[in-house]
Amino acid sequence: MKEQHLTDTFGRAHDYLRISLTEKCNLRCTYCMPAEGVQLRDKSIFMQTDEVVAIAKEFVSLGVKKIRLTGGEPLVKKGIETILDELGKLPIELSLTTNAILVDKYIDAIQNAGITSINVSLDSLQQNRNIAISRRDYHHRVLSNIQLLLNRGFTVKINVVLMRGINDDEIIDFIEWSRSEKIEIRFIEFMPFDGNNWNREKTISFDEILHIAILRYGEMNVHTIKNAKNDTTRHFSITNALGTFGIISTVTNPFCDSCNRIRLTADGKIKNCLFSNDELDLLSTYRNGESIAPLVAQSIQAKKKGLGGMKDFSQQELAQHENRSMITIGG
Ligand code: SAM
Ligand code: SF4
């Protein structure tokens, strides 16, 4: 019964739910949200703490085994401690993607929820660049919170969105960091979303990143690490490094064939793909006292083979394909 709900027409089993807790954020990253910001909407349309918990529980009863909390910035969500506490009791792997600004405030709640691995966004090792990219100045606070996470024994993955002419000259600096510290650097290809002025030339491809690493360290010293099932990152390590680096290549090498992800937006819509624009309103169904299971099944059954039905992110295709900005989807 569970498998029926979560397996799509291509045989992909979906057991990984990413819940966006809020559309709000304490940063304004250029690649994630439009310069004018996101229109604030009445708070009644967003999932409240108890609704997040109840809907998450329904997903777990349908067979979800892993939940990632994201946003917007998940740690600015009112009620985050209760959400961490309640979801931490579920029989799932719980994880978090954050910009780390509020990590020091919530580190105990995060640890008590049983979270052991955290993804932190940091797009530059240079303060001025981070200010330009995120339109705010929290550089030192983020670095000290990353250190706090490491000191507390968390596995820390650093998400770096590479953009040509902005931070692509820091690839080696980030890899060097992974040589001296037990962290995982994850270079993410810049992806197109509403309002982020994407074009293909700005994306630094998987091949380019790997080429730069091989030029610097030599082919013999760049080792491929075997992928885990459903892993979207291709992992590498440099000889004798303490950490690793990886590449997430949604644009030049999508990993749709093994996709196991479902998304729940902060306003309670289920989205079967990052690029899908078919959304079903789980929150209204839940508020009407009905089961969300039929809608979940409907959404999974409608999932397209790849990229929300697009082929290759051509400008023409994107022009005809509406989607939200990343901050309102939940990355
Ligand atoms: N605020 C949290 C953070 O920044 O980690 C969580 C939400 S954020 C939307 C989740 C991830 O999406 C971040 O790692 C961010 O770098 C990534 N992201 C946002 N916009 C993107 C884009 N256009 N292309 C690639 N990755 C993007
Ligand atoms: Fe906020 Fe994360 Fe988007 Fe940056 S990437 S604006 S930190 S939600």
Side-chain angles (χ1 to χ4, degrees), residues 58 61 69 71 86 116 125 132 161 190 236 251 299:
E58 285 216 39
S61 73
L69 301 177
E86 290 295 324
T116 55
L125 294 170
V161 179
F190 179 32
F236 303 90
V251 176
S299 173

Side-chain angles (χ1 to χ4, degrees), residues 18 29-34 70-71 97 121 123 159-164 167 186-206 209 232-233 247-256 261 263 271 273-276 307-308 310 312-315 318 321 323-327 329-331:
R18 298 169 74 99
C29 303
T30 53
Y31 52 75
C32 179
M33 66 192 296
T70 179
T97 300
S121 294
D123 303 303
N159 287 348
V160 185
V161 179
L162 286 175
M163 292 161 288
R164 196 175 307 283
N167 59 351
R186 306 186 335 152
F187 297 115
I188 307 180
E189 286 182 351
F190 179 32
M191 297 183 277
F193 294 102
D194 265 22
N196 75 357
N197 292 319
W198 180 87
N199 69 53
R200 189 170 285 271
E201 286 66 47
K202 291 183 189 165
T203 297
I204 312 295
S205 71
F206 175 92
I209 299 165
T232 55
T233 311
I247 307 172
I248 304 180
S249 55
T250 313
V251 176
T252 66
N253 221 333
F255 32 79
C256 304
R261 296 161 176 224
R263 295 185 142 79
K271 227 171 142 63
C273 169
L274 198 48
F275 299 103
S276 155
L307 302 181
M310 288 187 288
D312 56 5
F313 297 125
S314 66
Q315 290 298 343
L318 287 169
H321 187 93
N323 197 0
R324 296 168 175 238
S325 58
M326 179 59 129
I327 194 161
I329 298 174

